[in-house]
Amino acid sequence: MPRSTRFPFRLRPLATALTIVLGWLALPALAQDLPAPAPSASTTADPAPAITTSAAIADADIRTRIRSIFAEIDALRGVEVRVSAGVVTLSGTVPGAPDVTRAEAIAARVAGVVTVQNDVERDLEVDTNLSPALDQFGDDVRALVRALPLAGVALGIAILIGVFGHLLASASSLWRRISPNSFLADLIATLVRFVFIMLGLVAGLQILGATALLGAVLGGAGVLGIAIGFAVRDTVDNYVSSLMLSLRQPFRANDHVVIEGNEGRVVRLTSRATILMTLDGNHLRIPNSTVFKAVILNYTRNPERRFQFDLGIDADDDPVDGMAVGLKAVRALDFVLDSPKASAVIRDVGDSNILLGFFGWVDQSRTDFLKGRSLALQAAKAALEDAGFALPEPIYRLRFDDGAPLPLKGVGDAPQPKTPSAPKGERKPDGPAQDAAPDTHVERMVAEERAERPKGDLLDSGRPIE
């Protein structure tokens, strides 16, 4: 275009607006000149056939869509599909029972389906059901064969981690330096071994990509652990009690103790029970849970022990003089300790006697308790008899009814001559010397047994004792 015929840039919007207005004014004239459109069949005929045709087209589309989907699934290729007014009817056979529900679910999700009438049945032919199972088994075997190298690598890594944990847990010297006693060291070693086994299992499953299986294993292990915990709560109680007893030991090896009425010498403390050697020479096992909660009497911790016995004198005798005579005899014995001193009390006054109680102390490391008590009782009794004190026998009162015949004294009932007793103030001749030394036979048996089995004992002389 020549330069002189171009519109200036500022006049272009004005020209555009003028063109639009002129076109709008010319529309009515153009509309009058156009011929009227011919009436169509849809406007002059009944609308019902058009609606029927549209529904038929929609049903055909639904049937085509469902058939195309079933054609892509091997198990559903034999299913027949009929659609009428949006209602889908399925018929035919499928290989398995899950396929029946599957076909109905697929058809119900197609757009335009009102409902599904499922007449599909399972095919019970042997060949139809056996072939897919064999094919699936073959696929699984081939997949397993392909996964063998990866499974071997996962298993190898799990074994390496477990072996490393086992070697680390076997370093008993390391754990004994860390822990205060051998029992706790064994528990730590067992825990380390278990942790590394679990790490190896987790690593192997991670390599195989079986993290879901790992969650199921851990969840099942948790439930199983709770069940086992309830089942073996007594065993766990024993182990915890063993740990506490090994940390704060209430006795040492070969101590003479009484636990819940069971008396004997301590042989060893194991992870489950305390072993005693009874005074009869028999083994006695007491669960550590019982020992931990029991009242324990230890005769070895304090070797000094008090003995006690009672003697009765005639009611006419002076009880103070009787106590003095008996105490003098008891204190004269070599094994009776001078400190604390032996003592005596009046225990009771009866109808025919006065009961005196004597107390004395012995050192159990040098004197047997029962032997010492017996010798002290014999010495006090002899001293009282020598001093003229009568040790009365029980007095019984007899009552005879009137008219009862009295027994006649026969020839065989003649009184026997009494053995003359020593005069008062004169002591009877002493018998053979009595040995009051303690019996160490059970103690030697315990020492020999501990020397034969040095392992498995939690008693440690280096640990604090309660």
Side-chain angles (χ1 to χ4, degrees):
M1 178 183 292
R3 185 177 182 88
S4 59
T5 61
R6 294 180 182 177
F7 291 101
F9 179 75
R10 294 180 178 180
L11 296 179
R12 288 181 181 178
L14 181 59
T16 302
L18 182 60
T19 303
I20 293 173
V21 172
L22 294 177
W24 179 72
L25 293 175
L27 285 177
L30 292 175
Q32 293 177 358
D33 296 337
L34 291 175
S40 62
S42 61
T43 58
T44 58
D46 189 7
I51 296 176
T52 303
T53 304
S54 177
I57 295 174
D59 290 343
D61 293 339
I62 294 173
R63 183 171 57 254
T64 303
R65 178 61 177 164
I66 295 176
R67 285 179 176 178
S68 63
I69 295 174
F70 286 174
E72 299 296 329
I73 303 174
D74 295 338
L76 304 181
R77 288 180 180 176
V79 177
E80 297 293 334
V81 181
R82 296 192 306 274
V83 182
S84 177
V87 178
V88 178
T89 302
L90 303 179
S91 60
T93 58
V94 291
D99 296 328
V100 176
T101 306
R102 185 183 178 187
E104 182 178 352
I106 293 174
R109 288 198 296 266
V110 174
V113 174
V114 177
T115 185
V116 177
Q117 179 68 32
N118 193 354
D119 295 332
V120 178
E121 298 178 354
R122 179 186 175 186
D123 189 357
L124 299 180
E125 294 294 333
V126 176
D127 295 340
T128 305
N129 290 271
L130 184 60
S131 298
L134 294 177
D135 294 340
Q136 182 64 36
F137 179 74
D139 294 340
D140 294 339
V141 171
R142 285 189 292 270
L144 179 61
V145 172
R146 290 194 301 269
L148 284 179
L150 183 60
V153 173
L155 180 61
I157 293 177
I159 292 176
L160 287 177
I161 296 176
V163 169
F164 177 76
H166 178 73
L167 295 177
L168 183 61
S170 300
S172 57
S173 58
L174 172 63
W175 308 119
R176 291 183 186 277
R177 284 195 299 267
I178 296 175
S179 61
N181 57 42
S182 58
F183 181 64
L184 187 57
D186 293 339
L187 288 180
I188 295 176
T190 303
L191 180 61
V192 169
R193 187 179 293 109
F194 174 77
V195 168
F196 272 88
I197 290 176
M198 292 303 299
L199 288 177
L201 180 61
V202 170
L205 293 178
Q206 286 284 355
I207 294 175
L208 292 176
T211 54
L213 178 62
L214 176 61
V217 170
L218 294 179
V223 175
L224 182 62
I226 294 175
I228 293 176
F230 278 105
V232 299
R233 59 183 181 274
D234 293 337
T235 303
V236 174
D237 189 11
N238 280 332
Y239 273 100
V240 174
S241 300
S242 302
L243 177 61
M244 301 303 296
L245 289 174
S246 62
L247 293 177
R248 302 288 297 181
Q249 299 178 0
F251 39 70
R252 299 295 191 196
N254 226 329
D255 278 2
H256 184 187
V257 298
V258 179
I259 303 175
E260 290 291 318
N262 302 298
E263 184 175 1
R265 289 190 171 272
V266 179
V267 178
R268 63 173 52 85
L269 174 66
T270 67
S271 59
R272 292 189 299 171
T274 298
I275 313 299
L276 296 184
M277 178 79 72
T278 65
L279 301 183
D280 298 330
N282 299 317
H283 278 76
L284 178 65
R285 297 174 61 89
I286 306 177
N288 284 334
S289 57
T290 302
V291 176
F292 183 70
K293 295 178 287 188
V295 176
I296 302 175
L297 178 60
N298 194 328
Y299 290 121
T300 307
R301 290 289 303 277
N302 184 12
E304 296 181 355
R305 185 177 177 184
R306 190 183 74 167
F307 64 85
Q308 180 267 334
F309 60 88
D310 297 332
L311 286 174
I313 61 175
D314 193 88
D316 296 331
D317 292 333
D318 188 352
V320 177
D321 292 342
M323 289 190 297
V325 172
L327 280 178
K328 183 178 179 181
V330 172
R331 291 173 179 174
L333 298 174
D334 295 337
F335 56 82
V336 177
L337 301 179
D338 296 333
S339 178
K341 292 184 178 181
S343 59
V345 296
I346 300 175
R347 299 292 298 272
D348 195 11
V349 177
D351 297 336
S352 60
N353 66 349
I354 300 175
L355 190 63
L356 304 180
F358 295 90
F359 304 88
W361 291 81
V362 296
D363 186 350
Q364 295 185 100
S365 62
R366 296 184 291 108
T367 305
D368 185 89
F369 176 77
L370 296 178
K371 291 181 180 179
R373 180 182 180 277
S374 300
L375 294 178
L377 191 154
Q378 189 273 338
K381 175 180 177 296
L384 289 173
E385 291 177 341
D386 293 344
F389 289 88
L391 304 181
E393 297 177 356
I395 298 176
Y396 299 97
R397 178 175 296 178
L398 302 179
R399 178 180 177 180
F400 298 96
D401 296 335
D402 296 339
L406 296 176
L408 298 178
K409 185 181 296 184
V411 178
D413 297 332
Q416 299 295 329
K418 295 182 179 181
T419 303
S421 59
K424 292 184 179 181
E426 182 179 347
R427 186 163 184 171
K428 296 180 181 178
D430 296 333
Q434 296 292 332
D435 181 16
D439 186 2
T440 59
H441 179 68
V442 176
E443 186 176 355
R444 290 196 304 270
M445 291 174 61
V446 173
E448 292 173 358
E449 183 169 344
R450 287 182 55 81
E452 293 176 359
R453 301 177 182 177
K455 296 183 179 181
D457 188 13
L458 302 180
L459 295 176
D460 185 5
S461 58
R463 300 300 307 162
I465 187 171
E466 294 181 345

